[in-house]
Amino acid sequence: MKRLIPTLLLPIALMAGDYRLGSGYELLDQLTVGGYVSAEYKKGDRIDELEIDDIAVMAYGELTHSLSYLVEFEAAKYHSWDLKEDTEESNPDFFTERAYLNYKLSNQLEFTAGKFITPGSYWNQVPINVLRDTTSKPRLSQYIFPRLVSGLDIEGYLPGSDTLKYALFAQKNEDIDHGYNNFYTDDHVGAVLTKDFGILEARLWGGRFELEDGTQSGYGGMTLRYEDNGLRILGEAAQSSTDYPDGTSDQTKESVFLQGAKRVARHHTLAARYEYYRDEALRLNENLYILGYNYRPIFPVSLKAEYLLHDDSADSMALFSFSILF
Amino acid sequence: MRRIILLLILVSLLPAGEYAVVASADSPIASLDGRFVKDIFLKKRGFYHGTEVIPVNLGAADAIRRVFEDKVLGMAREDINEYWIINHYKGVKPPLVQRSEMGVRAFVSNQKNAVGYLRKSLVDESLKVLYEF
């Protein structure tokens, strides 16, 4: 709690000066600070949980026109109360979620070195609650590929094209902060190709990674995203194949989701998502249907309510969240 | 035939646009197309053929900025605000702001990498028109 209070007071202190919520506070020309907070409540047959999920602070800036940096520290699942079991758990330590330098040589060539979000899946590029249309995240964004890379990324527009972008990335070392990734990998390479059609964007992405215990996975996916006039449609499909150290090979995971979100009135958005997830090793086969409502009194503040309908009705649940970007 | 010629003359006399995207007269950039201007002001691209480009906006309440957002960016103010809030998470700030067209003219004429916009009637020999809207 000692760490929580100053963190929560930070946005209030920032609001006292010349500051707009959701834009960060520019301390210097080369230093803007900000962050985000989210809290969730989940209620279902198997779960009754209240949680302060994310508390994060970030700093970034442009050192020159070409050179910029960003660091972000986050305490995930900061504090949770299991109301079913009447227990609570605290994870007050902050971990490095992102820390990188970016150097732009031209529109065709820019380098990022450090720990950064894995290029590819569109959902993964803007993963925080406050910027999403739903509290829940699709399985695809959690179980197919590592969310973060500690390594090097090269990306830009393909020469001669205004609409086709590429990204190549590689990690050949341990994670900058071991405590914060969904896969503990020290070897990850991948590539992304993005075509911008204006209101429509298409992506192909794929990669290969090895876990520290020798488990090896290859993955590939595609994204289609449409956005126009308050309507956002995002569809992603991905598959991975994993070889385990015990000799079990070609174990497949596959996932698809299609989400639509429509701003039905100022401040009010309705969202619906269908998801399919299959994990061959776990003999898991899931269909999920999500219907949600998102109220934003201002864009950097989000209050969400949704219902997640699962194949196994015992895993269905209602979710509510409050999140803020400062 | 005379009518067609008269019509062509009238069309040629119509202004291409009341406003101009401008750079310093010393800028190596000769002209820009609308899509590139949009990408520069959304900070999707920061170079033009190897030359750094620094976008300069007018203040949020300025009427000319509204026209620029509508005609060149093709985005509603609400969508633009959302765009920059999402980019705050990505570590990207919106373009620099000058409070007046005079400020834009002074800044752009003294900074050869800068690109701004103002009324065409304010363009002088220190500036070069890259795009009209």
Side-chain angles (χ1 to χ4, degrees):
Chain A
M1 192 55 89
K2 277 180 188 170
R3 299 184 204 195
L4 174 61
I5 290 170
T7 312
L8 291 180
L9 285 177
L10 180 63
I12 298 164
L14 293 178
M15 287 170 74
D18 178 22
Y19 170 75
R20 249 179 96 199
L21 199 63
S23 303
Y25 188 75
E26 195 172 297
L27 287 172
L28 303 167
D29 285 347
Q30 300 83 10
L31 175 61
T32 298
V33 296
Y36 53 91
V37 176
S38 73
E40 295 180 17
Y41 174 65
K42 300 172 191 166
K43 171 75 173 164
D45 286 352
R46 290 181 178 146
I47 192 166
D48 189 1
E49 184 181 78
L50 177 64
E51 140 180 304
I52 297 170
D53 186 26
D54 290 332
I55 297 181
V57 289
M58 50 192 263
Y60 63 88
E62 286 182 1
L63 302 173
T64 67
H65 181 74
S66 296
L67 184 64
S68 61
Y69 69 94
L70 183 145
V71 291
E72 178 189 344
F73 302 103
E74 179 180 330
K77 301 194 180 301
Y78 185 87
H79 199 95
S80 59
W81 293 264
D82 186 332
L83 305 175
K84 220 172 184 62
E85 303 295 329
D86 199 21
T87 58
E88 58 185 281
E89 190 181 326
S90 195
N91 297 294
D93 295 326
F94 281 76
F95 294 99
T96 309
E97 169 135 352
R98 294 181 289 170
Y100 59 78
L101 280 171
N102 173 276
Y103 184 75
K104 293 180 178 67
L105 197 62
S106 68
N107 293 325
Q108 288 76 35
L109 199 57
E110 69 178 83
F111 302 92
T112 303
K115 185 171 182 178
F116 49 87
I117 289 173
T118 306
S121 158
Y122 184 82
W123 187 284
N124 196 48
Q125 306 312 300
V126 191
I128 62 174
N129 186 330
V130 64
L131 297 179
R132 302 195 304 254
D133 289 311
T134 58
T135 301
S136 61
K137 295 174 274 195
R139 304 307 202 234
L140 182 146
S141 70
Q142 302 173 70
Y143 303 127
I144 303 284
F145 54 85
R147 290 196 316 108
L148 300 158
V149 177
S150 290
L152 183 68
D153 171 69
I154 300 171
E155 64 180 68
Y157 287 89
L158 283 175
S161 175
D162 288 345
T163 57
L164 199 56
K165 291 188 79 176
Y166 73 93
L168 303 166
F169 60 90
Q171 172 176 348
K172 294 288 178 185
N173 43 265
E174 286 193 1
D175 198 302
I176 284 178
D177 190 335
H178 222 183
Y180 210 95
N181 209 345
N182 53 339
F183 290 99
Y184 294 141
T185 178
D186 54 10
D187 187 351
H188 182 193
V189 294
V192 185
L193 203 55
T194 304
K195 175 73 177 173
D196 182 357
F197 297 97
I199 55 175
L200 187 70
E201 182 184 285
R203 283 184 189 192
L204 290 173
W205 39 276
R208 182 159 189 85
F209 63 95
E210 182 173 343
L211 302 187
E212 291 173 357
D213 67 2
T215 302
Q216 294 187 354
S217 294
Y219 65 90
M222 60 184 295
T223 300
L224 272 176
R225 186 174 75 92
Y226 170 90
E227 183 165 357
D228 192 33
N229 203 21
L231 174 65
R232 289 184 288 275
I233 299 172
L234 176 64
E236 300 204 281
Q239 188 180 59
S240 71
S241 178
T242 301
D243 298 337
Y244 293 94
D246 66 5
T248 317
S249 61
D250 292 333
Q251 296 296 291
T252 304
K253 291 180 193 172
E254 54 194 19
S255 187
V256 178
F257 75 86
L258 180 65
Q259 175 168 304
K262 172 71 180 166
R263 192 165 59 215
V264 290
R266 200 161 181 242
H267 311 305
H268 305 274
T269 300
L270 291 177
R273 185 171 77 239
Y274 165 72
E275 260 188 83
Y276 168 73
Y277 178 66
R278 185 173 78 87
D279 187 324
E280 191 176 8
L282 297 177
R283 294 181 182 173
L284 194 65
N285 221 324
E286 294 180 301
N287 287 281
L288 299 96
Y289 307 84
I290 291 103
L291 192 61
Y293 163 70
N294 185 0
Y295 171 63
R296 294 181 185 275
I298 52 173
F299 188 77
V301 175
S302 173
L303 287 149
K304 300 188 187 81
E306 72 191 65
Y307 191 75
L308 188 155
L309 182 67
H310 195 282
D311 274 346
D312 178 355
S313 61
D315 282 332
S316 295
M317 67 177 86
L319 296 97
F320 304 88
S321 70
F322 167 78
S323 51
I324 182 168
L325 181 72
F326 56 89
Chain B
M1 190 64 178
R2 279 168 63 186
R3 280 186 185 177
I4 293 171
I5 292 169
L6 190 61
L7 190 65
L8 286 173
I9 291 169
L10 282 172
V11 167
S12 70
L13 291 175
L14 285 174
E18 193 181 342
Y19 307 101
V21 174
V22 293
S24 160
D26 300 332
S27 169
I29 305 172
S31 67
L32 293 172
D33 64 37
R35 184 189 173 98
F36 210 98
V37 174
K38 178 176 178 176
D39 283 357
I40 288 170
F41 277 82
L42 294 179
K43 287 197 169 177
K44 290 183 174 178
R45 283 191 257 201
F47 298 86
Y48 182 80
H49 291 304
T51 302
E52 291 178 3
V53 181
I54 302 167
V56 185
N57 245 336
L58 282 165
D62 195 291
I64 298 173
R65 176 161 161 181
R66 291 276 184 181
V67 176
F68 178 77
E69 290 173 350
D70 183 45
K71 287 190 167 181
V72 182
L73 302 187
M75 296 167 75
R77 174 59 64 85
E78 194 175 1
D79 294 330
I80 293 169
N81 289 342
E82 289 181 13
Y83 176 84
W84 288 116
I85 288 167
I86 292 168
N87 272 275
H88 162 53
Y89 171 72
K90 295 177 178 176
V92 181
K93 299 288 286 181
L96 297 169
V97 169
Q98 288 289 328
R99 288 186 182 174
S100 67
E101 291 174 276
M102 295 305 166
V104 169
R105 186 166 73 175
F107 186 89
V108 171
S109 59
N110 287 313
Q111 165 57 268
K112 79 170 186 179
N113 298 110
V115 172
Y117 54 89
L118 37 64
R119 269 175 291 163
K120 262 166 55 178
S121 57
L122 292 175
V123 175
D124 60 17
E125 67 281 358
S126 70
L127 299 174
K128 179 193 288 186
V129 174
L130 305 179
Y131 179 74
E132 295 178 30
F133 63 100

